Amino acid sequence: MTVTGQIRKKEFLSLKLPEAFITKYTRLLGDSAPAFFASFDEPVYSGFRLNPLREQPTDLPLTDPVPYTHWGYYGKVSGRSLPHQSGAVYSQEPSAMFVGEVAQPQPGERVLDLCASPGGKSTHLSSFLQNQGLLVSNEIMPKRAKVLAENLERFGVANALILNETPEKIAKTFPVFFDKVLVDAPCSGEGMFRKDPDAMSYWTPEYPQACADRQHDILREAVKVLKPGGELIYSTCTFAPEEDEQMIAWLLATYPEFEVVPITKTAGIVDGKPEWADGNPALAGTARLFPHLMKGEGHFVAKLRCREAIGTAKKFKGQRPNLSVEQRDLLAKFAKTTLTQTFDHKQLLTFGDQLYLMPIDTPDLGKLKVVRPGLHLGTFKKNRFEPSYALALALPADAVQTEIPITMADWRQVVHGDTITVTGLSINKGWARLTCEHQPVAFGKVVGQTIKNFFPKGLRFKAYEDEQ
Ligand SMILES: C[S@@+](CC[C@H](N)C(=O)[O-])C[C@H]1O[C@@H](n2cnc3c(N)ncnc32)[C@H](O)[C@@H]1O
C-alpha cells in the first residue's frame, strides 16, 4: 500500500505523445503547454473512497484526503485485501471522484447513471443516496454490466436497478422521471494517457470528433429523462474541446430548456474554457481538471439544470411483486431464524428461483434487459431459502441475528473457498454472517464447529498475508 498514492513510472511518456496531439495542445494551451506536457512524466495518483455505510477500516493510510471529496483519500488499496473485498473501500482515480461530488444526489432522489460500468461513479452516488431512493445504474456492454453488478454488490448498494440497455431504450422507459442524470461519457480518454499509455494507440486527430458524434447521440436521449428542475451531470476523461466545452455549447444551443449550473472549484480545478467552444461565458461554469494543476488525471465536468421537461411523462406504472405463498413462507422462516428484520412484500420480485428486493419507485420492467432488478436477496431451493453474498454485504450491522467474527487467517481461507472451523460458537446450526475486523465477509452455514463456505465460486481468490 502506498501512502501518497503516487505510482512512479519508468518511461518518459511525453516523448511518446502523438505529434498531432502535441501540436493541438501547444496551440490551445499556449504558455501553459510546457507544464501540461511535462506532467505526463510525473507519477500517477491513485485513490480510494471509504464506504460511509461501513465501519472505517483501521489499517488504511488515511493521511492524505482528496480535498474536494467527502470520502476520498490518496493511496492504493489491494484488490485482494479485506477492505476491498468487504466493500469498505472503492478504488477510484482521484479526479474521477470530482464527478460524484458535483452530482451529489440527496437521499430519496431518483438518479440515473447512464454509462455506469465499472461502477466508480455509481458507488459514489450511492454513498450520497444512503440506500434511499432509486439508483438506475445502466451499462450498454453486457460483460461490463456484469462487472458493474459485482462492484455495486460488493459496496453493499441496496437500492440499485442495474440495466444493460441502450440510451434510446432508457429514454423510452423513463421519460421525465429522474432528479439527477449522470452521463459519464465514453470518450477519447486523453486524460488517462498517463495512467494507461495504451489508450494512446487508439488516438488519431479525428478520434475526438468521432467520440463527440456518439456523445451527441447519448445526450439527445439523456435530456428526455429529466424532471423539470432536475440536473444533468456530463463528464469525460479527455482534454478534447470537441467532447467537452463544445459538447455543452451544442447542448445549450439545441436545448434552450437547459442552463449551466456553475461548479465551485478548489484544489487546482479550473474553469471550463468558453474560448475553446463558441465563446458562451456560461461555459466557464464547467470544470476542467488538468494534471499539471492538481493531483489527479485529466477530466471535464459540467452541470446543467433542466428548466422545462423535454417531452411528456408517462403515467407511472410500478413493477408488480410476484412472490408465491410458498416462497413467502420460506422467506419468513429464513428471516425469523437469521435476521432481525423482514422485507416489505410489495418490493419482492422473483426471476425464476432468484429473489430480489426492488428499490422503491421501480417502474414496470417490461422488456428491459435487467441485470439486477434490485438487491439480490438469495435463492429458493427445495424447501429452503439460501441467502446471497450481496445480502451479506448489504445488511446493516444490527440486521443479522448471529455474526461470527473471524480472524484474518480464516478470512483468507473463506475468500479462497475453504471450510473453516471455529470454536465457542453461540449457535450450532444455521446461517450466520461472517465478519472480519468489523467488516461483512459472507454468509456461512454453521454445522457444529464447522462453517460451510458460501463465498461465491466465481469471486474466490488467493489473498496473501502482506496484502492487508
Ligand atoms: C467512461 S466509461 C464509464 C465509467 C463509469 N462511469 C465509472 O465511473 O466507473 C463509459 C461507459 O460508457 C459505455 N458506452 C459505450 N458506448 C456507449 C453508448 N453508445 N451509450 C451508452 N454507453 C456507452 C462504455 O461501455 C463504458 O462502460
Side-chain angles (χ1 to χ4, degrees):
M1 206 176 283
T2 57
V3 176
T4 61
Q6 282 182 290
I7 302 168
R8 193 156 280 287
K9 294 184 278 85
K10 291 185 193 80
E11 57 192 348
F12 282 102
L13 202 63
S14 60
L15 300 177
K16 297 186 174 170
L17 290 169
E19 220 174 290
F21 179 88
I22 295 177
T23 309
K24 178 175 178 180
Y25 287 100
T26 302
R27 178 177 55 80
L28 286 170
L29 287 164
D31 289 350
S32 44
F36 172 69
F37 293 124
S39 74
F40 286 83
D41 298 329
E42 293 298 315
V44 173
Y45 287 93
S46 51
F48 60 89
R49 290 189 338 267
L50 294 178
N51 185 341
L53 297 179
R54 295 284 157 78
E55 205 161 299
Q56 192 167 298
T58 47
D59 59 349
L60 287 180
L62 303 179
T63 45
D64 198 2
V66 179
Y68 43 83
T69 67
H70 282 71
W71 305 286
Y73 289 86
Y74 292 99
K76 194 162 172 57
V77 178
S78 164
R80 289 188 293 197
S81 65
L82 171 66
H84 174 87
Q85 176 273 315
S86 62
V89 303
Y90 191 99
S91 293
Q92 189 180 35
E93 192 282 305
S95 289
M97 296 178 192
F98 190 59
V99 179
E101 294 290 333
V102 168
Q104 219 164 123
Q106 300 297 309
E109 284 187 337
R110 293 175 178 172
V111 180
L112 169 67
D113 185 0
L114 187 56
C115 313
S117 187
K121 316 288 182 324
S122 272
T123 51
H124 198 176
L125 297 172
S126 87
S127 290
F128 285 109
L129 287 172
Q130 299 169 25
N131 278 337
Q132 296 163 47
L134 171 68
L135 173 63
V136 175
S137 199
N138 180 67
E139 168 57 42
I140 195 167
M141 314 286 270
K143 278 196 185 140
R144 289 177 62 83
K146 192 166 170 269
V147 174
L148 172 67
E150 282 173 11
N151 283 334
L152 290 181
E153 289 185 347
R154 191 164 45 75
F155 210 65
V157 179
N159 62 333
L161 168 60
I162 309 177
L163 301 177
N164 170 217
E165 275 302 347
T166 59
E168 291 77 9
K169 192 73 179 277
I170 295 284
K172 278 207 179 81
T173 311
F174 300 96
V176 194
F177 185 82
F178 290 103
D179 299 294
K180 296 238 157 78
V181 172
L182 170 60
V183 175
D184 187 31
C187 70
S188 58
E190 295 170 357
M192 292 296 132
F193 283 178
R194 185 165 78 167
K195 187 168 174 240
D196 174 19
D198 286 348
M200 282 195 295
S201 62
Y202 302 103
W203 195 90
T204 62
E206 297 75 35
Y207 190 41
Q209 191 52 54
C211 292
D213 293 344
R214 180 165 57 172
Q215 290 151 3
H216 284 130
D217 293 344
I218 296 174
L219 283 173
R220 272 190 204 98
E221 303 303 329
V223 293
K224 298 177 190 164
V225 302
L226 274 165
K227 297 200 286 204
E231 286 174 348
L232 170 68
I233 292 84
Y234 172 82
S235 58
T236 72
C237 58
T238 192
F239 306 111
E242 301 89 322
E243 303 174 64
D244 295 346
E245 287 88 350
Q246 288 174 30
M247 189 58 52
I248 303 306
W250 165 82
L251 198 140
L252 293 171
T254 314
Y255 301 101
E257 297 87 344
F258 279 78
E259 65 188 351
V260 170
V261 180
I263 295 171
T264 307
K265 290 133 194 153
T266 55
I269 297 170
V270 295
D271 286 353
K273 297 183 176 294
E275 67 277 19
W276 287 8
D278 59 3
N280 180 347
L283 295 172
T286 65
R288 277 201 169 255
L289 291 80
F290 282 113
H292 61 296
L293 299 178
M294 48 95 57
K295 286 165 65 176
E297 306 311 294
H299 263 77
F300 172 83
V301 189
K303 186 176 189 173
L304 299 125
R305 184 177 297 115
C306 170
R307 284 186 296 229
E308 225 180 283
I310 295 182
T312 14
K314 273 205 294 208
K315 190 168 180 299
F316 182 80
K317 189 175 157 214
Q319 174 64 44
R320 290 167 64 91
N322 65 352
L323 216 58
S324 70
V325 175
E326 192 196 354
Q327 287 170 329
R328 245 186 214 221
D329 291 346
L330 289 177
L331 181 67
K333 199 168 149 198
F334 165 79
K336 194 165 172 224
T337 52
T338 312
L339 307 179
T340 59
Q341 65 168 61
T342 52
F343 301 108
D344 184 347
H345 284 125
K346 290 195 284 301
Q347 286 179 257
L348 294 174
L349 184 71
T350 54
F351 265 38
D353 53 7
Q354 305 300 316
L355 179 66
Y356 296 89
L357 183 71
M358 294 184 284
I360 307 271
D361 277 358
T362 298
D364 181 13
L365 297 171
K367 292 193 174 75
L368 285 173
K369 285 194 217 151
V370 178
V371 185
R372 299 276 189 280
L375 173 64
H376 184 213
L377 297 182
T379 310
F380 288 108
K381 303 264 168 136
K382 201 164 182 283
N383 296 328
R384 67 194 161 85
F385 176 75
E386 194 174 289
S388 72
Y389 177 59
L391 181 62
L393 293 186
L395 284 172
D398 55 2
V400 185
Q401 288 180 24
T402 308
E403 289 203 324
I404 301 177
I406 59 173
T407 63
M408 281 306 301
D410 284 339
W411 174 76
R412 282 191 284 277
Q413 283 193 276
V414 169
V415 298
H416 191 246
D418 306 331
T419 299
I420 56 168
T421 305
V422 179
T423 51
L425 293 174
S426 61
I427 57 167
N428 67 6
K429 202 171 174 222
W431 292 105
R433 178 161 65 178
L434 308 180
T435 62
C436 186
E437 299 190 350
H438 307 286
Q439 304 299 340
V441 175
F443 272 111
K445 199 163 191 183
V446 179
V447 184
Q449 292 191 343
T450 302
I451 300 173
K452 280 173 78 180
N453 194 331
F454 283 79
F455 196 83
K457 286 203 171 70
L459 299 179
R460 291 176 185 179
F461 61 95
K462 178 117 187 82
Y464 297 93
E465 224 167 302
D466 57 2
E467 263 173 325
Q468 303 327 308

